[in-house]
CSV table of all heavy atoms in Angstrom, one decimal:
chain,number,residue,atom,x,y,z
A,1,MET,N,-13.2,-35.1,22.8
A,1,MET,CA,-11.9,-35.0,23.4
A,1,MET,C,-11.2,-33.8,22.8
A,1,MET,O,-11.9,-32.7,22.8
A,1,MET,CB,-11.0,-36.2,22.9
A,1,MET,CG,-11.5,-37.5,23.4
A,1,MET,SD,-11.1,-37.8,25.1
A,1,MET,CE,-10.4,-39.4,25.0
A,2,THR,N,-10.1,-33.9,22.3
A,2,THR,CA,-9.4,-32.6,21.8
A,2,THR,C,-9.9,-32.3,20.4
A,2,THR,O,-9.7,-33.1,19.5
A,2,THR,CB,-7.9,-32.8,21.8
A,2,THR,OG1,-7.6,-33.8,22.7
A,2,THR,CG2,-7.2,-31.6,21.9
A,3,LYS,N,-10.5,-31.2,20.3
A,3,LYS,CA,-11.1,-30.8,19.1
A,3,LYS,C,-10.1,-29.8,18.4
A,3,LYS,O,-9.9,-28.7,18.8
A,3,LYS,CB,-12.4,-30.1,19.2
A,3,LYS,CG,-13.5,-31.0,18.7
A,3,LYS,CD,-14.8,-30.1,18.6
A,3,LYS,CE,-15.9,-31.0,17.9
A,3,LYS,NZ,-17.2,-30.4,17.9
A,4,THR,N,-9.5,-30.4,17.4
A,4,THR,CA,-8.5,-29.5,16.7
A,4,THR,C,-9.2,-28.7,15.6
A,4,THR,O,-9.7,-29.2,14.6
A,4,THR,CB,-7.4,-30.4,16.0
A,4,THR,OG1,-7.0,-31.4,17.0
A,4,THR,CG2,-6.2,-29.6,15.7
A,5,GLN,N,-9.2,-27.4,15.9
A,5,GLN,CA,-9.8,-26.6,14.9
A,5,GLN,C,-8.8,-26.1,13.9
A,5,GLN,O,-7.9,-25.4,14.2
A,5,GLN,CB,-10.5,-25.4,15.6
A,5,GLN,CG,-11.9,-25.7,16.2
A,5,GLN,CD,-12.8,-24.5,16.1
A,5,GLN,OE1,-12.4,-23.4,16.3
A,5,GLN,NE2,-14.0,-24.8,15.8
A,6,THR,N,-9.1,-26.6,12.7
A,6,THR,CA,-8.1,-26.2,11.6
A,6,THR,C,-8.6,-25.0,10.8
A,6,THR,O,-8.7,-25.0,9.6
A,6,THR,CB,-7.9,-27.4,10.8
A,6,THR,OG1,-9.1,-28.1,10.5
A,6,THR,CG2,-6.9,-28.4,11.4
A,7,THR,N,-9.2,-24.0,11.5
A,7,THR,CA,-9.7,-22.9,10.8
A,7,THR,C,-8.7,-21.7,10.9
A,7,THR,O,-8.8,-20.9,11.7
A,7,THR,CB,-11.1,-22.5,11.4
A,7,THR,OG1,-11.1,-23.0,12.7
A,7,THR,CG2,-12.1,-22.9,10.6
A,8,ASN,N,-7.7,-21.9,10.1
A,8,ASN,CA,-6.8,-20.7,10.0
A,8,ASN,C,-7.3,-19.8,9.0
A,8,ASN,O,-6.9,-19.6,7.9
A,8,ASN,CB,-5.4,-21.3,9.5
A,8,ASN,CG,-4.6,-21.8,10.7
A,8,ASN,OD1,-4.9,-21.4,11.8
A,8,ASN,ND2,-3.6,-22.6,10.4
A,9,ALA,N,-8.3,-19.1,9.4
A,9,ALA,CA,-9.1,-18.2,8.5
A,9,ALA,C,-8.3,-17.0,8.2
A,9,ALA,O,-8.7,-16.2,7.5
A,9,ALA,CB,-10.4,-17.9,9.1
A,10,GLN,N,-7.2,-16.9,8.9
A,10,GLN,CA,-6.4,-15.5,8.7
A,10,GLN,C,-5.7,-15.7,7.3
A,10,GLN,O,-4.5,-15.8,7.3
A,10,GLN,CB,-5.5,-15.3,9.8
A,10,GLN,CG,-6.2,-14.9,11.1
A,10,GLN,CD,-6.9,-13.6,11.1
A,10,GLN,OE1,-6.8,-12.9,10.1
A,10,GLN,NE2,-7.7,-13.3,12.1
A,11,ASP,N,-6.4,-15.6,6.3
A,11,ASP,CA,-5.8,-15.7,4.9
A,11,ASP,C,-5.2,-14.3,4.6
A,11,ASP,O,-5.6,-13.4,5.1
A,11,ASP,CB,-6.8,-16.0,4.0
A,11,ASP,CG,-6.2,-16.9,2.8
A,11,ASP,OD1,-5.0,-16.6,2.5
A,11,ASP,OD2,-6.9,-17.8,2.3
A,12,ALA,N,-4.1,-14.4,3.8
A,12,ALA,CA,-3.4,-13.2,3.5
A,12,ALA,C,-4.4,-12.2,2.5
A,12,ALA,O,-4.2,-11.1,2.5
A,12,ALA,CB,-2.2,-13.5,2.7
A,13,ARG,N,-5.4,-12.9,2.0
A,13,ARG,CA,-6.2,-12.1,1.1
A,13,ARG,C,-7.0,-11.1,1.9
A,13,ARG,O,-7.1,-9.9,1.5
A,13,ARG,CB,-7.1,-13.0,0.4
A,13,ARG,CG,-6.5,-13.7,-0.8
A,13,ARG,CD,-7.5,-14.6,-1.5
A,13,ARG,NE,-7.6,-15.8,-0.6
A,13,ARG,CZ,-8.6,-16.7,-0.8
A,13,ARG,NH1,-9.3,-16.7,-1.9
A,13,ARG,NH2,-8.7,-17.7,0.0
A,14,THR,N,-7.5,-11.5,3.0
A,14,THR,CA,-8.4,-10.6,3.8
A,14,THR,C,-7.7,-10.1,5.0
A,14,THR,O,-8.3,-9.4,5.8
A,14,THR,CB,-9.7,-11.3,4.2
A,14,THR,OG1,-9.3,-12.5,4.8
A,14,THR,CG2,-10.6,-11.5,3.0
A,15,GLY,N,-6.4,-10.4,5.0
A,15,GLY,CA,-5.6,-10.0,6.2
A,15,GLY,C,-5.1,-8.5,6.2
A,15,GLY,O,-5.8,-7.7,5.7
A,16,ILE,N,-3.9,-8.5,6.7
A,16,ILE,CA,-3.4,-7.1,6.9
A,16,ILE,C,-3.0,-6.5,5.6
A,16,ILE,O,-2.0,-7.0,4.9
A,16,ILE,CB,-2.2,-7.2,7.9
A,16,ILE,CG1,-2.5,-8.0,9.1
A,16,ILE,CG2,-1.8,-5.8,8.2
A,16,ILE,CD1,-1.9,-9.4,9.1
A,17,GLN,N,-3.7,-5.5,5.2
A,17,GLN,CA,-3.3,-4.8,4.0
A,17,GLN,C,-2.9,-3.4,4.3
A,17,GLN,O,-3.7,-2.6,4.7
A,17,GLN,CB,-4.5,-4.8,3.0
A,17,GLN,CG,-4.5,-5.8,1.9
A,17,GLN,CD,-3.7,-5.4,0.7
A,17,GLN,OE1,-3.1,-4.4,0.6
A,17,GLN,NE2,-3.6,-6.2,-0.3
A,18,PRO,N,-1.7,-3.1,4.1
A,18,PRO,CA,-1.2,-1.8,4.4
A,18,PRO,C,-1.8,-0.8,3.4
A,18,PRO,O,-2.2,-1.1,2.3
A,18,PRO,CB,0.3,-1.8,4.2
A,18,PRO,CG,0.7,-3.2,4.0
A,18,PRO,CD,-0.5,-3.9,3.6
A,19,THR,N,-2.0,0.4,3.9
A,19,THR,CA,-2.6,1.4,3.1
A,19,THR,C,-1.9,1.6,1.8
A,19,THR,O,-0.8,2.0,1.7
A,19,THR,CB,-2.7,2.8,3.8
A,19,THR,OG1,-1.6,2.9,4.6
A,19,THR,CG2,-3.9,2.9,4.6
A,20,LEU,N,-2.5,1.1,0.7
A,20,LEU,CA,-1.9,1.2,-0.7
A,20,LEU,C,-2.7,2.2,-1.4
A,20,LEU,O,-3.9,2.1,-1.7
A,20,LEU,CB,-1.9,-0.1,-1.2
A,20,LEU,CG,-0.8,-0.5,-2.2
A,20,LEU,CD1,0.5,-0.3,-1.6
A,20,LEU,CD2,-1.0,-1.9,-2.8
A,21,ASN,N,-2.0,3.3,-1.9
A,21,ASN,CA,-2.6,4.2,-2.7
A,21,ASN,C,-2.5,3.8,-4.2
A,21,ASN,O,-1.6,3.0,-4.6
A,21,ASN,CB,-2.0,5.6,-2.5
A,21,ASN,CG,-2.2,6.1,-1.1
A,21,ASN,OD1,-3.4,6.0,-0.6
A,21,ASN,ND2,-1.2,6.5,-0.4
A,22,PRO,N,-3.4,4.3,-5.0
A,22,PRO,CA,-3.2,4.1,-6.4
A,22,PRO,C,-1.9,4.2,-7.0
A,22,PRO,O,-1.5,3.6,-7.9
A,22,PRO,CB,-4.3,4.9,-7.1
A,22,PRO,CG,-5.3,5.2,-6.0
A,22,PRO,CD,-4.4,5.2,-4.7
A,23,GLY,N,-1.2,5.2,-6.5
A,23,GLY,CA,0.1,5.5,-7.1
A,23,GLY,C,1.3,4.6,-6.5
A,23,GLY,O,2.3,4.6,-7.1
A,24,ASP,N,0.9,3.8,-5.5
A,24,ASP,CA,1.9,3.0,-5.0
A,24,ASP,C,2.1,1.7,-5.9
A,24,ASP,O,1.2,1.2,-6.3
A,24,ASP,CB,1.5,2.5,-3.6
A,24,ASP,CG,1.5,3.7,-2.6
A,24,ASP,OD1,2.3,4.6,-2.8
A,24,ASP,OD2,0.8,3.6,-1.6
A,25,GLU,N,3.4,1.4,-5.9
A,25,GLU,CA,3.6,0.2,-6.8
A,25,GLU,C,3.9,-1.0,-5.9
A,25,GLU,O,3.9,-2.1,-6.3
A,25,GLU,CB,4.9,0.5,-7.6
A,25,GLU,CG,4.7,1.5,-8.7
A,25,GLU,CD,5.9,1.9,-9.5
A,25,GLU,OE1,7.0,1.3,-9.1
A,25,GLU,OE2,5.8,2.6,-10.5
A,26,ALA,N,4.0,-0.8,-4.6
A,26,ALA,CA,4.2,-1.9,-3.7
A,26,ALA,C,3.9,-1.4,-2.3
A,26,ALA,O,3.9,-0.2,-2.0
A,26,ALA,CB,5.6,-2.4,-3.7
A,27,PRO,N,3.5,-2.3,-1.4
A,27,PRO,CA,3.2,-1.9,0.0
A,27,PRO,C,4.5,-1.3,0.7
A,27,PRO,O,5.6,-1.8,0.3
A,27,PRO,CB,2.8,-3.2,0.7
A,27,PRO,CG,2.4,-4.2,-0.4
A,27,PRO,CD,3.3,-3.7,-1.6
A,28,PRO,N,4.3,-0.3,1.4
A,28,PRO,CA,5.4,0.3,2.1
A,28,PRO,C,6.2,-0.8,2.9
A,28,PRO,O,5.7,-1.7,3.6
A,28,PRO,CB,4.8,1.3,3.1
A,28,PRO,CG,3.5,1.6,2.6
A,28,PRO,CD,3.0,0.3,1.9
A,29,GLY,N,7.5,-0.6,2.8
A,29,GLY,CA,8.3,-1.7,3.5
A,29,GLY,C,8.8,-2.8,2.7
A,29,GLY,O,9.6,-3.7,3.1
A,30,THR,N,8.2,-2.9,1.5
A,30,THR,CA,8.6,-4.0,0.6
A,30,THR,C,10.1,-3.8,0.2
A,30,THR,O,10.5,-2.7,-0.2
A,30,THR,CB,7.7,-4.0,-0.6
A,30,THR,OG1,6.4,-4.0,-0.2
A,30,THR,CG2,8.0,-5.3,-1.4
A,31,MET,N,10.8,-4.9,0.1
A,31,MET,CA,12.1,-4.8,-0.4
A,31,MET,C,12.2,-4.3,-1.8
A,31,MET,O,11.5,-4.7,-2.7
A,31,MET,CB,12.8,-6.3,-0.3
A,31,MET,CG,12.9,-6.8,1.1
A,31,MET,SD,14.6,-6.2,1.8
A,31,MET,CE,15.7,-7.4,1.0
A,32,GLY,N,13.2,-3.5,-2.0
A,32,GLY,CA,13.3,-3.0,-3.4
A,32,GLY,C,12.4,-1.9,-3.7
A,32,GLY,O,12.2,-1.6,-4.9
A,33,THR,N,11.8,-1.3,-2.7
A,33,THR,CA,11.0,-0.1,-3.0
A,33,THR,C,11.4,1.0,-2.1
A,33,THR,O,12.1,1.0,-1.2
A,33,THR,CB,9.5,-0.5,-2.6
A,33,THR,OG1,9.5,-0.7,-1.2
A,33,THR,CG2,9.0,-1.6,-3.3
A,34,GLY,N,11.0,2.2,-2.6
A,34,GLY,CA,11.4,3.4,-1.9
A,34,GLY,C,10.3,4.5,-2.1
A,34,GLY,O,9.5,4.4,-3.0
A,35,GLU,N,10.4,5.5,-1.2
A,35,GLU,CA,9.4,6.5,-1.4
A,35,GLU,C,9.8,7.5,-2.5
A,35,GLU,O,11.0,7.7,-2.7
A,35,GLU,CB,9.2,7.3,-0.1
A,35,GLU,CG,8.4,6.6,0.9
A,35,GLU,CD,7.7,7.6,1.8
A,35,GLU,OE1,8.3,8.7,2.1
A,35,GLU,OE2,6.6,7.3,2.3
A,36,ASP,N,8.9,8.0,-3.2
A,36,ASP,CA,9.2,8.9,-4.2
A,36,ASP,C,8.1,10.0,-4.3
A,36,ASP,O,6.9,9.8,-3.8
A,36,ASP,CB,9.2,8.2,-5.6
A,36,ASP,CG,10.0,9.0,-6.7
A,36,ASP,OD1,10.4,10.1,-6.3
A,36,ASP,OD2,10.2,8.6,-7.8
A,37,VAL,N,8.4,11.1,-4.9
A,37,VAL,CA,7.4,12.1,-4.9
A,37,VAL,C,6.3,11.8,-5.9
A,37,VAL,O,6.6,11.2,-6.9
A,37,VAL,CB,8.1,13.5,-5.4
A,37,VAL,CG1,7.0,14.6,-5.6
A,37,VAL,CG2,9.1,14.0,-4.4
A,38,CYS,N,5.1,12.1,-5.4
A,38,CYS,CA,4.0,11.7,-6.3
A,38,CYS,C,4.1,12.4,-7.6
A,38,CYS,O,4.2,13.6,-7.7
A,38,CYS,CB,2.7,12.1,-5.6
A,38,CYS,SG,1.2,11.8,-6.6
A,39,PRO,N,4.0,11.6,-8.7
A,39,PRO,CA,4.1,12.2,-10.0
A,39,PRO,C,2.9,13.1,-10.4
A,39,PRO,O,3.0,13.9,-11.3
A,39,PRO,CB,4.2,11.0,-11.0
A,39,PRO,CG,3.5,9.9,-10.3
A,39,PRO,CD,3.8,10.2,-8.8
A,40,ASP,N,1.8,12.9,-9.7
A,40,ASP,CA,0.6,13.6,-10.1
A,40,ASP,C,0.5,15.0,-9.4
A,40,ASP,O,0.2,16.0,-10.0
A,40,ASP,CB,-0.6,12.8,-9.8
A,40,ASP,CG,-0.9,11.7,-10.9
A,40,ASP,OD1,0.0,11.7,-11.8
A,40,ASP,OD2,-1.9,11.0,-10.8
A,41,CYS,N,0.8,15.0,-8.1
A,41,CYS,CA,0.6,16.3,-7.3
A,41,CYS,C,2.0,16.8,-7.0
A,41,CYS,O,2.1,17.9,-6.5
A,41,CYS,CB,-0.2,16.0,-6.1
A,41,CYS,SG,0.7,15.0,-5.0
A,42,HIS,N,3.1,16.2,-7.4
A,42,HIS,CA,4.4,16.6,-7.2
A,42,HIS,C,4.7,16.9,-5.8
A,42,HIS,O,5.4,17.9,-5.5
A,42,HIS,CB,4.7,17.8,-8.2
A,42,HIS,CG,4.4,17.5,-9.6
A,42,HIS,ND1,5.3,16.8,-10.4
A,42,HIS,CD2,3.4,17.9,-10.4
A,42,HIS,CE1,4.8,16.7,-11.5
A,42,HIS,NE2,3.7,17.4,-11.6
A,43,GLY,N,4.2,16.1,-4.9
A,43,GLY,CA,4.6,16.2,-3.5
A,43,GLY,C,3.7,17.1,-2.7
A,43,GLY,O,3.8,17.2,-1.5
A,44,LYS,N,2.7,17.7,-3.4
A,44,LYS,CA,1.9,18.6,-2.7
A,44,LYS,C,0.7,17.9,-1.9
A,44,LYS,O,0.2,18.3,-0.9
A,44,LYS,CB,1.2,19.6,-3.6
A,44,LYS,CG,2.2,20.6,-4.2
A,44,LYS,CD,1.6,21.7,-5.0
A,44,LYS,CE,2.5,22.1,-6.2
A,44,LYS,NZ,1.8,22.1,-7.5
A,45,GLY,N,0.4,16.8,-2.4
A,45,GLY,CA,-0.7,16.0,-1.7
A,45,GLY,C,-2.0,16.4,-2.2
A,45,GLY,O,-3.0,15.8,-1.8
A,46,ARG,N,-2.1,17.5,-2.9
A,46,ARG,CA,-3.5,17.8,-3.5
A,46,ARG,C,-3.4,18.3,-4.8
A,46,ARG,O,-2.4,18.9,-5.3
A,46,ARG,CB,-4.2,18.9,-2.5
A,46,ARG,CG,-3.3,19.5,-1.5
A,46,ARG,CD,-4.2,20.3,-0.6
A,46,ARG,NE,-4.8,19.5,0.5
A,46,ARG,CZ,-6.1,19.6,0.8
A,46,ARG,NH1,-7.0,20.3,0.0
A,46,ARG,NH2,-6.6,18.9,1.7
A,47,ILE,N,-4.5,18.2,-5.5
A,47,ILE,CA,-4.6,18.8,-6.9
A,47,ILE,C,-5.8,19.6,-6.9
A,47,ILE,O,-7.0,19.1,-6.7
A,47,ILE,CB,-4.7,17.6,-8.0
A,47,ILE,CG1,-3.4,16.8,-7.9
A,47,ILE,CG2,-4.9,18.1,-9.3
A,47,ILE,CD1,-3.4,15.6,-8.8
A,48,ASP,N,-5.6,20.9,-7.3
A,48,ASP,CA,-6.8,21.9,-7.4
A,48,ASP,C,-7.4,21.8,-6.0
A,48,ASP,O,-8.7,21.9,-6.0
A,48,ASP,CB,-7.7,21.5,-8.5
A,48,ASP,CG,-7.0,21.7,-9.8
A,48,ASP,OD1,-6.1,22.5,-9.9
A,48,ASP,OD2,-7.3,21.0,-10.8
A,49,GLY,N,-6.8,21.8,-4.9
A,49,GLY,CA,-7.4,21.9,-3.6
A,49,GLY,C,-8.0,20.6,-3.1
A,49,GLY,O,-8.4,20.5,-2.0
A,50,ALA,N,-8.1,19.6,-4.0
A,50,ALA,CA,-8.6,18.3,-3.5
A,50,ALA,C,-7.5,17.3,-3.3
A,50,ALA,O,-6.5,17.4,-3.9
A,50,ALA,CB,-9.5,17.7,-4.6
A,51,PRO,N,-7.6,16.5,-2.3
A,51,PRO,CA,-6.6,15.5,-2.0
A,51,PRO,C,-6.3,14.7,-3.2
A,51,PRO,O,-7.2,14.2,-3.9
A,51,PRO,CB,-7.2,14.6,-0.9
A,51,PRO,CG,-8.3,15.4,-0.2
A,51,PRO,CD,-8.8,16.3,-1.4
A,52,CYS,N,-5.0,14.5,-3.5
A,52,CYS,CA,-4.6,13.7,-4.6
A,52,CYS,C,-4.9,12.2,-4.4
A,52,CYS,O,-4.6,11.7,-3.4
A,52,CYS,CB,-3.1,13.8,-4.8
A,52,CYS,SG,-2.4,12.9,-6.1
A,53,ALA,N,-5.6,11.6,-5.4
A,53,ALA,CA,-6.0,10.3,-5.3
A,53,ALA,C,-4.8,9.3,-5.5
A,53,ALA,O,-4.9,8.2,-5.0
A,53,ALA,CB,-7.1,10.0,-6.3
A,54,THR,N,-3.8,9.8,-6.2
A,54,THR,CA,-2.8,8.8,-6.6
A,54,THR,C,-2.0,8.5,-5.3
A,54,THR,O,-1.5,7.3,-5.1
A,54,THR,CB,-1.9,9.5,-7.6
A,54,THR,OG1,-2.7,9.8,-8.7
A,54,THR,CG2,-0.8,8.6,-8.0
A,55,CYS,N,-1.7,9.5,-4.5
A,55,CYS,CA,-0.8,9.3,-3.4
A,55,CYS,C,-1.7,9.3,-2.1
A,55,CYS,O,-1.2,9.2,-1.0
A,55,CYS,CB,0.2,10.3,-3.3
A,55,CYS,SG,-0.3,12.0,-3.1
A,56,GLY,N,-3.0,9.5,-2.2
A,56,GLY,CA,-3.8,9.6,-1.1
A,56,GLY,C,-3.6,10.8,-0.2
A,56,GLY,O,-3.9,10.9,0.9
A,57,GLY,N,-3.0,11.8,-0.8
A,57,GLY,CA,-2.9,13.1,-0.1
A,57,GLY,C,-1.6,13.2,0.7
A,57,GLY,O,-1.3,14.1,1.4
A,58,SER,N,-0.7,12.1,0.6
A,58,SER,CA,0.5,12.1,1.4
A,58,SER,C,1.6,12.9,0.6
A,58,SER,O,2.6,13.3,1.2
A,58,SER,CB,0.9,10.7,1.6
A,58,SER,OG,1.2,10.0,0.5
A,59,GLY,N,1.4,13.0,-0.7
A,59,GLY,CA,2.5,13.6,-1.6
A,59,GLY,C,3.6,12.7,-2.0
A,59,GLY,O,4.5,13.1,-2.8
A,60,THR,N,3.6,11.5,-1.4
A,60,THR,CA,4.6,10.6,-1.8
A,60,THR,C,4.0,9.2,-2.1
A,60,THR,O,2.9,8.9,-1.7
A,60,THR,CB,5.6,10.3,-0.7
A,60,THR,OG1,4.9,10.0,0.5
A,60,THR,CG2,6.4,11.6,-0.4
A,61,ILE,N,4.7,8.5,-3.0
A,61,ILE,CA,4.2,7.1,-3.3
A,61,ILE,C,5.4,6.1,-3.1
A,61,ILE,O,6.5,6.5,-2.9
A,61,ILE,CB,3.8,7.1,-4.8
A,61,ILE,CG1,5.0,7.6,-5.7
A,61,ILE,CG2,2.5,7.8,-5.1
A,61,ILE,CD1,5.1,6.9,-7.0
A,62,THR,N,4.9,4.9,-3.0
A,62,THR,CA,5.9,3.9,-2.8
A,62,THR,C,6.3,3.3,-4.2
A,62,THR,O,5.4,2.8,-4.9
A,62,THR,CB,5.4,2.8,-1.9
A,62,THR,OG1,5.1,3.4,-0.7
A,62,THR,CG2,6.6,1.8,-1.7
A,63,ARG,N,7.5,3.5,-4.7
A,63,ARG,CA,7.9,3.1,-6.0
A,63,ARG,C,8.8,1.9,-5.9
A,63,ARG,O,9.7,1.8,-5.1
A,63,ARG,CB,8.6,4.3,-6.6
A,63,ARG,CG,9.0,4.0,-8.1
A,63,ARG,CD,9.5,5.3,-8.7
A,63,ARG,NE,8.4,6.4,-8.8
A,63,ARG,CZ,8.1,6.7,-10.0
A,63,ARG,NH1,8.6,6.2,-11.1
A,63,ARG,NH2,7.1,7.5,-10.2
A,64,ALA,N,8.6,1.0,-6.9
A,64,ALA,CA,9.5,-0.1,-7.0
A,64,ALA,C,10.8,0.4,-7.6
A,64,ALA,O,10.8,0.8,-8.7
A,64,ALA,CB,8.9,-1.2,-7.8
A,65,ILE,N,11.9,0.3,-6.9
A,65,ILE,CA,13.1,0.8,-7.4
A,65,ILE,C,13.7,-0.3,-8.4
A,65,ILE,O,14.4,0.1,-9.4
A,65,ILE,CB,14.1,1.0,-6.4
A,65,ILE,CG1,13.6,2.0,-5.3
A,65,ILE,CG2,15.5,1.6,-6.8
A,65,ILE,CD1,14.4,2.2,-4.0
A,66,GLY,N,13.4,-1.4,-8.2
A,66,GLY,CA,13.9,-2.4,-9.2
A,66,GLY,C,15.4,-2.7,-9.1
A,66,GLY,O,16.1,-2.6,-10.1
A,67,GLY,N,15.8,-3.0,-7.9
A,67,GLY,CA,17.3,-3.2,-7.8
A,67,GLY,C,17.7,-4.5,-8.3
A,67,GLY,O,18.2,-4.6,-9.4
A,68,ALA,N,17.4,-5.6,-7.6
A,68,ALA,CA,17.8,-7.0,-8.0
A,68,ALA,C,19.2,-6.9,-8.3
A,68,ALA,O,19.6,-7.2,-9.4
A,68,ALA,CB,16.9,-7.4,-9.2
B,101,LIG,ZN1,-0.3,12.8,-5.2
């Protein structure tokens, strides 16, 4: 008859993960966060000609502002 498939396999663990760079403190769009200039490359996006790993070459990171 009706086969109810309870396979809600869309777990958050393997689900949608916004691009999070090592320098990001929270996923973009998170409440209480804002963009800040990358402390490693100072907004240039690269260090010694190589893409900055901290910000992923974007020059900015997502920082937790810690409002509360
Ligand atoms: Zn950087």
